[in-house]
Amino acid sequence: MKNGAQILVECLKKEGVDVIFGYPGARTLLLHDTLMDDPDISHILVRHEQGAAHAADGYARTTGKVGVCLTTSGPGATNLVTGIATAYMDSVPMVALTCQVTTADIGNDAFQEADMTGITRPITKHNYVVTDIEDLARIVREAFYVARTRRPGPVLIDLPSDVLAARGAGEIPESVSRRGYQEMPTLNLKQLKAAADLINKAKRPLIYAGGGIVLSNSQSRLRALADKAQLPVTHTLMGLGVMDATSPLSVGMLGMYGAWYANKAVHECDCLIAIGARFDDRVTGRIDGFAPNARIIQIDIDPASIRKTVQVHLPIVGDAGEAMEKLLELVEAKDRSGWLEQICAWKEEAPLPRPQSEQLMPHEIMEALRAVAGDTPVVASDVGLSQMWTANFFQFHEPRHYITSGGLGTMGYALPAAMGAAVGNPGRLVFAINGDGAFQMNVQELATCSQYNIPVKVIILNNGKLGMVRQFQRVFLKKRYSATDLGGHVDFCMVARGFQVAALKVTRKEELVHALNKAMEIEGPVVVDIDIDPDCYSFPMVPPGKKTVEALFDPDEWQG
């Protein structure tokens, strides 16, 4: 007979878990004690539970495995909430283990009690509270099954401390299933044939590719489909890398901060094939102005995402990879050179702006990073202007090379997520690209990187401002800058060195490449603090309530 903590660890090993990101407390004592003697699972001690959730998220996004985080009860568990919500919005497979007060104390307002199943019900794919030792092994098996299958997502298991102490046989079931839960939906071949017919007849078709292609590991099928039928491809923020950015069929990122020519292609296409994308409001702009001339096909594994915001003409429920494999057989090889030439003309008419300044500009930094790092780094970007600059100017050739908080837009994501990515991808170069505001949200994880020598290269684009909010104030509020000036009073190099992390400062253009090369030579974590022009922004930008082709290219264009 084993205690619950031992059974849990055996279950985790059965699922292939090799690392847990966590923080201990009184309710985790038995579990951490058990992990201490197990050579197969590493425990990374983060400095804040939010960091544990983001690290598990970054590990999962870049490896395709289920990420695992562990906390104690009460505030330790509630500190996971933002990270769980981040994973939920972006369909990241994750299992959160929250230890809990004893079953007898649940509901009695016991010290450090929080109703984690109630709190996280809206932001988890499923959650459990284990009240019987005999259910533990089945629940863990089921949690991983639910987290990784169909549309992936976070699952929470609440673990009362008396269950972890109780003893049981702990027999792990070979397989699990849930009533009414279908792991893989059956494709409707009639609908697929109708989709192929629409594509074959189209003069100006366009693929709108989302994160579902990354989750299904089907980028090769997308590229084959696009190549055979000469279908240009625009992608979402979550879909970065599904098409090689240098491919002549790649149209770049669409949406609020995407390329104007990508939005123009959507506006003018006559057939839009949405694959693994959910028509987020940041993509569509004003709904009645989105793809007004197109017959819209939507392929998604989650039926709840189909026709949720846009009334598509042809819905197809299914796995993106399986659907594209069938479409590849059904679509005809076509010469669409005229349509592709038109898109190229739009690219020349309105390319992504690259403003010049005596001070460093973000696009110059991205281009320098690419030159120094090559094509294979993993890049975690934070939220705000740094996110948009990275997405638009750091060209990606493969999926899972770029991770960010898309749906929730969580500041403080980049550093802990990059930490998880580096743990999951030993030997890979990993960047965390932050604004100075976002960096301060989870700066404490530098201590984790230092303790475990996790070689994250932290890039701070330092403008002394909360840049994206300031951009809104600049454009829409006539330069009334309220609560967006960070003062520039933090010496980030001194902070980094306080955590025993190497640090470099860049203030002039001629220092940039040398500093980046030096950062690459240092084996462990490094912070590179780069001063940028405080008045550089991300354009084009589609104002709220406007069509995506009604983008602003300059802050002084707004006449609203």
Side-chain angles (χ1 to χ4, degrees):
M1 303 288 280
K2 303 171 184 175
N3 67 31
Q6 292 167 330
I7 293 170
L8 176 57
V9 170
E10 288 300 316
C11 291
L12 295 175
K13 290 197 289 186
K14 181 80 172 177
E15 298 296 335
V17 174
D18 55 7
V19 63
I20 295 174
F21 302 91
Y23 202 94
R27 301 296 176 178
T28 73
L29 287 177
L30 270 179
L31 187 46
H32 275 99
D33 188 66
T34 304
L35 287 169
M36 185 177 180
D37 295 327
D38 197 293
D40 299 320
I41 299 179
S42 300
H43 180 274
I44 303 293
L45 173 61
V46 297
R47 296 310 190 264
H48 189 285
E49 290 88 353
Q50 185 179 340
H54 290 328
D57 175 304
Y59 175 93
R61 293 194 204 218
T62 56
T63 64
K65 301 177 184 177
V66 178
V68 180
C69 53
L70 165 66
T71 72
T72 192
S73 65
T78 59
N79 278 343
L80 288 179
V81 167
T82 298
I84 293 172
T86 300
Y88 181 73
M89 289 290 283
D90 292 343
S91 304
V92 178
M94 187 168 82
V95 170
L97 304 171
T98 54
C99 294
Q100 183 57 278
V101 301
T102 65
T103 51
D105 283 335
I106 290 176
N108 292 331
D109 292 333
F111 177 68
Q112 291 196 331
E113 178 191 357
D115 176 11
M116 288 310 297
T117 55
I119 290 169
T120 62
R121 187 169 288 117
I123 56 168
T124 52
K125 190 175 176 184
H126 196 64
N127 61 28
Y128 304 84
V129 55
V130 186
T131 57
D132 189 328
I133 186 67
E134 298 304 326
D135 294 331
L136 178 58
R138 174 190 59 80
I139 285 174
V140 174
R141 194 87 162 110
E142 194 174 290
F144 277 82
Y145 169 70
V146 170
R148 68 164 63 97
T149 54
R150 195 132 184 167
R151 179 180 178 177
V155 176
L156 181 136
I157 308 175
D158 210 28
L159 299 156
S161 54
D162 58 317
V163 174
L164 291 174
R167 304 190 78 82
E171 293 184 10
I172 304 173
E174 284 302 315
S175 61
V176 290
S177 62
R178 284 187 57 82
R179 182 182 299 175
Y181 182 80
Q182 186 182 11
E183 180 176 334
M184 188 67 73
T186 302
L187 278 171
N188 187 319
L189 293 179
K190 183 179 178 181
Q191 292 289 82
L192 279 169
K193 288 177 181 176
D197 187 53
L198 282 178
I199 295 168
N200 290 335
K201 291 177 179 177
K203 302 295 184 185
R204 302 182 305 280
L206 181 70
I207 292 176
Y208 155 40
I213 295 171
V214 178
L215 295 170
S216 60
N217 297 308
S218 55
Q219 66 275 7
S220 60
R221 293 172 185 174
L222 170 73
R223 296 177 185 192
L225 177 65
D227 186 61
K228 179 180 179 180
Q230 287 296 282
L231 303 171
V233 180
T234 184
H235 60 76
T236 66
L237 185 68
M238 294 290 97
L240 271 166
V242 293
M243 282 292 286
D244 184 336
T246 61
S247 166
L249 294 173
S250 176
V251 188
M253 187 175 75
L254 80 167
M256 184 175 183
Y257 290 96
W260 175 83
Y261 46 79
N263 290 328
K264 180 69 171 174
V266 173
H267 193 77
E268 298 297 335
C269 73
D270 61 2
C271 179
L272 185 68
I273 310 108
I275 308 175
R278 59 185 178 87
F279 294 91
D280 179 77
D281 58 286
R282 288 295 177 103
V283 162
T284 61
R286 207 174 83 196
I287 293 293
D288 63 1
F290 181 76
N293 306 305
R295 303 286 290 178
I296 302 176
I297 302 163
Q298 186 179 7
I299 301 170
D300 203 286
I301 200 166
D302 182 6
S305 292
I306 292 180
R307 289 179 171 159
K308 190 174 183 178
T309 56
V310 172
Q311 292 302 305
V312 302
H313 301 90
L314 189 57
I316 299 172
V317 178
D319 175 75
E322 187 180 351
M324 286 189 290
E325 187 173 359
K326 296 292 184 184
L327 278 177
L328 188 58
E329 301 170 5
L330 297 169
V331 298
E332 299 169 358
K334 291 278 186 177
D335 176 9
R336 292 191 165 98
S337 54
W339 173 226
L340 295 173
E341 287 168 6
Q342 175 62 77
I343 293 173
C344 285
W346 288 328
K347 288 182 178 181
E348 292 176 5
E349 178 184 342
L352 288 170
R354 286 175 163 81
Q356 299 301 309
S357 168
E358 292 184 3
Q359 294 175 274
L360 272 163
M361 300 296 282
H363 64 86
E364 296 170 331
I365 297 168
M366 298 305 155
E367 288 158 3
L369 280 169
R370 278 298 314 278
V372 168
D375 294 336
T376 59
V378 173
V379 178
S381 78
D382 224 291
V383 169
L385 294 181
S386 63
Q387 184 183 49
M388 296 301 107
W389 291 326
T390 306
N392 279 321
F393 295 111
F394 199 120
Q395 293 188 318
F396 294 93
H397 302 296
E398 295 293 336
R400 301 192 188 276
H401 286 204
Y402 175 74
I403 58 175
T404 192
S405 172
L408 195 64
T410 305
M411 288 181 71
Y413 173 85
L415 174 55
M419 189 170 70
V423 170
N425 298 269
R428 290 280 298 279
L429 180 58
V430 179
F431 290 113
I433 300 180
N434 318 254
D436 48 320
F439 178 65
Q440 293 178 72
M441 291 275 184
N442 276 310
V443 63
Q444 75 284 339
E445 297 310 327
L446 284 180
T448 310
C449 292
S450 177
Q451 179 178 349
Y452 296 95
N453 199 34
I454 301 172
V456 174
K457 311 304 179 186
V458 180
I459 308 297
I460 303 174
L461 306 179
N462 192 341
N463 58 8
K465 308 288 188 292
L466 295 176
M468 182 166 279
V469 183
R470 183 180 170 86
Q471 177 166 330
F472 294 155
Q473 293 168 336
R474 171 75 171 81
V475 174
F476 304 123
L477 298 177
K478 300 179 180 179
K479 301 183 183 180
R480 289 174 58 83
Y481 300 125
S482 173
T484 51
D485 189 343
L486 294 171
H489 300 306
V490 179
D491 185 335
F492 291 113
C493 290
M494 183 178 289
V495 170
R497 291 173 188 134
F499 285 114
Q500 302 300 305
V501 170
L504 304 166
K505 180 68 178 176
V506 176
T507 58
R508 301 192 305 273
K509 291 186 178 186
E510 55 268 27
E511 299 170 343
L512 179 61
V513 173
H514 174 74
L516 294 178
N517 278 316
K518 190 172 180 180
M520 301 305 108
E521 293 169 2
I522 297 171
E523 291 185 4
V526 185
V527 168
V528 185
D529 180 16
I530 306 173
D531 288 345
I532 63 171
D533 190 316
D535 288 317
C536 59
Y537 303 108
S538 181
F539 286 97
M541 178 185 76
V542 179
K546 295 293 185 179
K547 300 176 184 178
T548 54
V549 288
E550 298 175 322
L552 305 178
F553 281 81
D554 184 276
D556 295 321
E557 285 184 47
W558 177 247
Q559 301 297 322

